[in-house]
Amino acid sequence: MPTPAPDGPPSAPLPPDPSYLAAVQAQVDAAARAAEPLSSSAQGAPEDLVRAVVDAVEALGPRLVALSHDLAEHPETAFEEHRSAGVLADLAAERGLDVERGAHGLPTALRADVTGGGGTGTGRGGAPVVAVMSEYDALPGIGHACGHNVIAAAGLGAVLGLAALGDRLPGGVRWLGTPAEEGGGGKETMAQHGALDGVEAAVMVHPFGYDVADHLFLGRRQLRATFTGVTAHASAQPFMGRNALDAVALAYQGVGLHRQQMPPSDRLHCVVTEGGDRPNVVPGRAQVLFYLRSERPETLRVLSERLDAICRGAALMTGCGVDLAWDENPATLPVRANAALAGRWGARMAERGRPVLPSGVVPALLAASTDFGNVSYRLPSLHPMIAVSDPGTSLHTREFAAAAAGPDGDRAVVDGAVGLALVVLDHLADPDLRAAVHADFAAAGGAVDVTRYFDAPTPAPAPGGAA
């Protein structure tokens, strides 16, 4: 075997250059120092109720932190969160909640309803009901690298703090344990099975490197393109084949060329899941899985139409057939912010010593996706981010998983639970705030038929079978 020249290919990958990220970080730090913290002039809930909720959550703090650590130590991936759902439900039941396990179409989903009378059901006498959500699925191989252990404990802690008010709770609260956020679209499945029926607003909190109430989350779709060709001997009779892997390669190149025409916030990435079995056989089947992301529902629809055309064009150029399977798991829309709810979050977090950055300070390029987006297009919603790590620590890394189970993550569990509980309490107790919340939602376009939103792409006729 020849010895590589000293200047040949390296044996390890070239590390990414951090210059751009460092420059962005410096800009964010400067903007954060100059920004006025997000706040709200709403009256909110009476002080005696606020104090009672804060005391109840803080008394539960050690249990909530222990719960967060337990989840972090026993991570379970999407739709497999049986133990995680069990420990959450057990704590909720221990504190007097009537928990439905296997709720709304998913075996690992949870639901518990609390009213002002301390019982279960919906808001009494037409009183408003707000949903509080907990996520608890982990990522394969790297555990709770998105901090869902914090989300789960904070959401449950908020509901238990509100339930402690008993008859003084001025409305209803619905706790929803929502599985499979990481690619599974659990919230959309639950919504289609009635989880949000009778609910007028929804809240949850997500770990991050900053405290911010309105951060961009992109909408996301999935496309699995399966190309079918004709097998042949790759040496003796290659001209008798139709190469399905060539179709995948052309689709991949088409996506790369299309990136020049994509809006800056769009993202398009993929993996080849099938590419043939042996080099001496022209591949008769090949498959690629795409993720598409965009800042707005309408631009996500346009990106979907372009990718549809690219894949069909690749099939046409290679003489292959193609099957396009959209959204094996539910599509997710971007998160639609609600300024009135975000303002209350900012005000309540300031009371915890957490100044919340206004929208626009943390750049949109640091954006991922979440199935909570579908909730936010159904009803007014709040999805703030709470700092558990250094700003430079990326989600979906082992470093972020460690931070979410470390001291800053522990503090975020309690602060997040208090913040969610008080925003819900403010919404239930303050009719002027409720009016502002619904006015903001209406001004943004009101409710959207999420389930049918992407019925629109009208693909061109599929190429006939392999030629």
Side-chain angles (χ1 to χ4, degrees):
M1 178 177 178
T3 303
D7 59 350
S11 59
L14 185 67
D17 189 304
S19 301
Y20 177 71
L21 193 59
V24 169
Q25 187 67 60
Q27 292 174 353
V28 174
D29 291 345
R33 287 192 296 270
E36 287 291 328
L38 188 66
S39 191
S40 166
S41 60
Q43 177 178 337
E47 188 56 33
D48 62 322
L49 298 185
V50 170
R51 188 68 259 161
V53 167
V54 173
D55 289 346
V57 174
E58 290 185 340
L60 278 169
R63 294 292 304 276
L64 299 176
V65 168
L67 172 64
S68 173
H69 287 192
D70 183 63
L71 294 171
E73 291 163 6
H74 301 90
E76 295 174 304
T77 55
F79 299 115
E80 301 298 328
E81 318 95 329
H82 299 283
R83 183 188 181 281
S84 301
V87 296
L88 283 158
D90 288 347
L91 178 56
E94 176 191 321
R95 305 298 299 187
L97 271 60
D98 184 6
V99 182
E100 178 185 355
R101 306 179 192 227
H104 300 293
L106 293 177
T108 54
L110 303 169
R111 170 176 167 170
D113 289 309
V114 180
T115 69
T120 58
T122 56
R124 206 176 262 180
V129 178
V130 177
V132 180
M133 297 188 174
S134 290
E135 299 172 0
Y136 36 90
D137 61 318
L139 288 155
I142 53 176
H144 276 289
C146 205
H148 291 192
N149 54 304
V150 173
I151 299 173
L156 177 56
V159 174
L160 295 177
L162 290 163
L165 290 178
D167 290 332
R168 295 187 294 164
L169 180 65
V173 180
R174 179 173 300 167
W175 177 53
L176 294 172
T178 61
E181 185 276 333
E182 297 290 354
K187 292 182 189 63
E188 176 60 23
T189 299
M190 291 179 69
Q192 292 179 22
H193 285 79
L196 300 176
D197 292 356
V199 171
E200 72 165 46
V203 302
M204 62 169 284
V205 65
H206 197 296
F208 197 40
Y210 299 92
D211 282 289
V212 58
D214 175 11
H215 183 60
L216 175 65
F217 275 78
L218 303 174
R220 192 197 69 192
R221 301 193 70 191
Q222 302 172 51
L223 172 63
R224 188 178 298 275
T226 304
F227 295 92
T228 306
V230 176
T231 59
H233 195 293
S235 176
Q237 294 185 339
F239 44 84
M240 294 304 294
R242 292 291 182 264
N243 195 318
L245 183 58
D246 284 352
V248 166
L250 284 170
Y252 191 92
Q253 292 176 15
V255 164
L257 295 171
H258 179 61
R259 284 194 173 97
Q260 186 182 56
Q261 283 74 52
M262 284 166 40
S265 60
D266 281 11
R267 300 285 187 268
L268 220 174
H269 31 273
C270 68
V271 292
V272 177
T273 54
E274 293 182 41
D277 297 315
R278 296 182 62 85
N280 62 346
V281 178
V282 173
R285 175 185 165 96
Q287 188 179 86
V288 57
L289 176 63
F290 294 96
Y291 274 17
L292 311 75
R293 305 181 198 253
S294 193
E295 183 176 356
R296 295 178 177 85
E298 57 271 25
T299 54
L300 184 55
R301 180 187 284 152
V302 170
L303 185 59
S304 302
E305 292 168 350
R306 293 303 305 137
L307 183 57
D308 186 285
I310 287 169
C311 289
R312 292 176 186 277
L316 187 64
M317 285 187 285
T318 55
C320 291
V322 63
D323 176 70
L324 302 180
W326 285 95
D327 302 321
E328 296 168 355
N329 292 311
T332 63
L333 295 183
V335 172
R336 178 196 274 176
N338 187 282
L341 288 172
R344 290 314 298 163
W345 175 264
R348 293 308 189 184
M349 284 294 97
E351 297 167 359
R352 306 291 296 180
R354 287 182 178 269
V356 173
L357 297 175
S359 176
V361 174
V362 181
L365 65 91
L366 303 176
S369 305
T370 172
D371 59 3
F372 190 82
N374 291 13
V375 176
S376 73
Y377 274 83
R378 283 182 161 89
L379 42 79
S381 299
L382 174 69
H383 188 272
M385 311 293 279
I386 191 166
V388 304
S389 72
D390 180 272
T393 303
S394 174
L395 278 70
H396 290 203
T397 62
R398 295 185 187 278
E399 292 77 13
F400 194 84
D408 289 340
D410 296 348
R411 180 185 166 215
V413 167
V414 180
D415 287 349
V418 169
L420 289 178
L422 295 185
V423 170
V424 171
L425 184 62
D426 289 340
H427 182 87
L428 296 176
D430 186 346
D432 291 337
L433 174 61
R434 285 203 305 278
V437 166
H438 289 289
D440 188 87
F441 183 70
V448 168
D449 185 354
V450 174
T451 305
R452 303 194 58 182
Y453 187 83
F454 291 111
D455 289 353
T458 329

